[in-house]
């Protein structure tokens, strides 16, 4: 059991991390100082930084965006970018930019839309959820409704996403994160997956998985298979090994196809 810091806020980075791994989001919330960059993660960060530089080169970056005075009459104009964080109670943004755009409903006013830079060359569901959360934080701050946002991919392609009733996509995650903030609890169990190669906490989780002889050590085993074996009381590689019984092959018949067995 550990006590939770009152200054911790839920950000789009935590929401996205929870989509990859529950334990990763927990460690980011309360043990971020124990993170350790990987070579693969460093490479992705460089690619992301390059994508950000290319996008910002075509816009004016005016730093902090004052939501209370945003209007067509001040120094902000359509196309300007703000790089400041937005905080609303227990919610906050970390790596989200905000772009000033023309308000389609009111011609004489401008509005703000979030812009994110994922480390991928294709649009993913995780990108839409991250963008929806950033828009929600923005809405809570300025008491308005954000209708769209932008996803800038590594290749420079810009995807404009409509945001309509997207809160349901991230609300289950924020409920979990709020529960961790409001009470003391142990971190989620270690379950290795394909995202571990890019995780800054793999040096903490991998030794635990090896010590526990976790089934997730097996390559390509997914959550459905893990749940199926858990119902049978099988949680370790050693336990699973006792299930293997090689079948005798019929010499006269055709050779049956080899089925993959974990």
């Amino acid at each position: 059991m550990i006590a939770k810091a009152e200054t911790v806020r839920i950000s789009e980075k935590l929401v996205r991390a929870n989509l990859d791994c529950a334990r990763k989001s927990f460690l980011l919330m309360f043990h971020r100082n124990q993170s350790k960059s990987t070579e693969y993660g460093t490479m992705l960060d460089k690619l992301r930084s390059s994508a950000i530089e290319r996008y910002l080169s075509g816009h004016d970056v005016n730093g902090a965006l004052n939501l209370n005075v945003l209007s067509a009459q001040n120094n902000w104009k359509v196309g300007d970018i703000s790089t400041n964080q937005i905080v609303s109670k227990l919610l906050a943004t970390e790596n989200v930019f905000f772009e000033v755009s023309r308000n389609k409903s009111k011609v004489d006013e401008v509005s703000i839309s979030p812009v994110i830079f994922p480390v991928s060359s294709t649009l993913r569901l995780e990108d839409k959820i991250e963008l929806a959360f950033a828009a929600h934080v923005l809405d809570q701050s300025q008491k308005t409704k954000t209708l769209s946002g932008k996803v800038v991919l590594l290749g420079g392609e810009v995807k404009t996403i409509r945001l309509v009733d997207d809160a349901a996509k991230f609300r289950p995650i924020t409920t979990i994160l709020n529960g961790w903030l409001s009470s003391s609890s142990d971190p989620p169990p270690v379950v290795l997956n394909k995202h571990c190669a890019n995780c800054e906490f793999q040096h903490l989780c991998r030794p635990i998985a090896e010590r526990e002889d976790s089934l997730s050590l097996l390559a390509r085993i997914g959550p459905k298979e893990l749940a199926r074996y858990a119902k049978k009381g099988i949680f370790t590689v050693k336990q699973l090994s006792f299930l293997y019984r090689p079948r005798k092959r019929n010499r006269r018949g055709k050779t049956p196809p080899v089925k993959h067995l974990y």
Side-chain angles (χ1 to χ4, degrees):
M1 297 284 186
I2 59 174
K4 305 301 184 292
E6 295 182 357
T7 56
V8 175
R9 290 186 174 89
I10 298 173
S11 68
E12 87 288 343
K13 187 172 183 177
L14 297 180
V15 172
R16 178 134 193 165
N18 193 270
L19 294 169
D20 296 337
C21 172
R23 186 180 180 90
K24 178 181 178 179
S25 60
F26 185 94
L27 294 175
L28 277 175
M29 288 184 79
F30 309 115
H31 302 285
R32 190 172 296 199
N33 60 334
Q34 297 184 26
S35 64
K36 184 179 180 180
S37 300
T38 63
E39 291 185 6
Y40 184 59
T42 301
M43 180 194 70
L44 291 179
D45 289 340
K46 290 181 179 178
L47 291 175
R48 182 178 182 273
S49 298
S50 298
I52 293 175
E53 290 179 3
R54 287 196 303 268
Y55 187 80
L56 295 184
S57 63
H59 299 75
D60 290 332
V61 182
N62 286 351
L65 178 65
N66 190 337
L67 301 177
N68 297 324
V69 299
L70 182 64
S71 67
Q73 285 72 37
N74 59 27
N75 295 329
W76 290 92
K77 62 182 183 296
V78 175
D80 284 1
I81 293 286
S82 168
T83 59
N84 67 307
Q85 298 180 357
I86 293 182
V87 177
S88 177
K89 298 180 180 179
L90 292 178
L91 305 180
T93 61
E94 288 190 57
N95 301 317
V96 181
F97 294 167
F98 297 92
E99 183 173 347
V100 180
S101 57
R102 181 68 61 190
N103 193 329
K104 294 182 180 181
S105 58
K106 297 181 180 180
V107 181
D108 58 337
E109 294 183 6
V110 292
S111 59
I112 325 169
S113 58
V115 183
I116 65 171
F117 298 83
V119 288
S120 63
S121 299
T122 57
L123 184 65
R124 301 177 180 178
L125 176 62
E126 295 93 323
D127 303 330
K128 296 181 180 180
I129 294 177
E130 178 182 350
L131 189 67
F133 176 84
H136 177 71
V137 179
L138 180 63
D139 293 344
Q140 294 295 313
S141 302
Q142 60 177 354
K143 307 301 180 182
T144 58
K145 180 62 178 176
T146 303
L147 300 179
S148 65
K150 292 183 178 180
V151 178
V152 183
L153 304 176
L154 286 182
E157 186 178 3
V158 180
K159 299 285 189 179
T160 301
I161 308 299
R162 291 187 59 192
L163 302 172
V164 182
D165 298 330
D166 286 342
K169 297 178 181 179
F170 61 79
R171 188 174 291 118
I173 300 175
T174 55
T175 300
I176 295 173
L177 300 181
N178 271 317
W180 292 343
L181 285 174
S182 60
S183 63
S184 298
S185 61
D186 295 325
V190 174
V191 180
L192 304 183
N193 58 43
K194 63 181 180 180
H195 301 289
C196 293
N198 185 34
C199 182
E200 57 267 45
F201 298 104
Q202 62 171 273
H203 66 288
L204 300 178
C205 299
R206 184 81 187 188
I208 296 176
E210 293 177 350
R211 185 169 63 249
E212 296 177 347
D213 196 26
S214 171
L215 277 179
S216 62
L217 288 167
L218 299 174
R220 298 175 63 182
I221 192 168
K224 291 183 179 179
E225 289 82 4
L226 292 174
R228 179 164 59 88
Y229 286 127
K231 290 182 179 179
K232 298 179 180 180
I234 301 172
F235 302 95
T236 67
V237 175
K238 185 176 182 179
Q239 290 173 337
L240 181 62
S241 67
F242 288 107
L243 293 183
Y244 180 66
R245 295 292 184 271
R247 292 185 177 183
K248 295 181 179 180
R249 296 190 177 186
N250 189 350
R251 295 180 180 179
R252 297 181 180 179
K254 294 182 179 180
T255 303
V258 178
K259 182 181 179 181
H260 174 68
L261 299 173
Y262 290 106

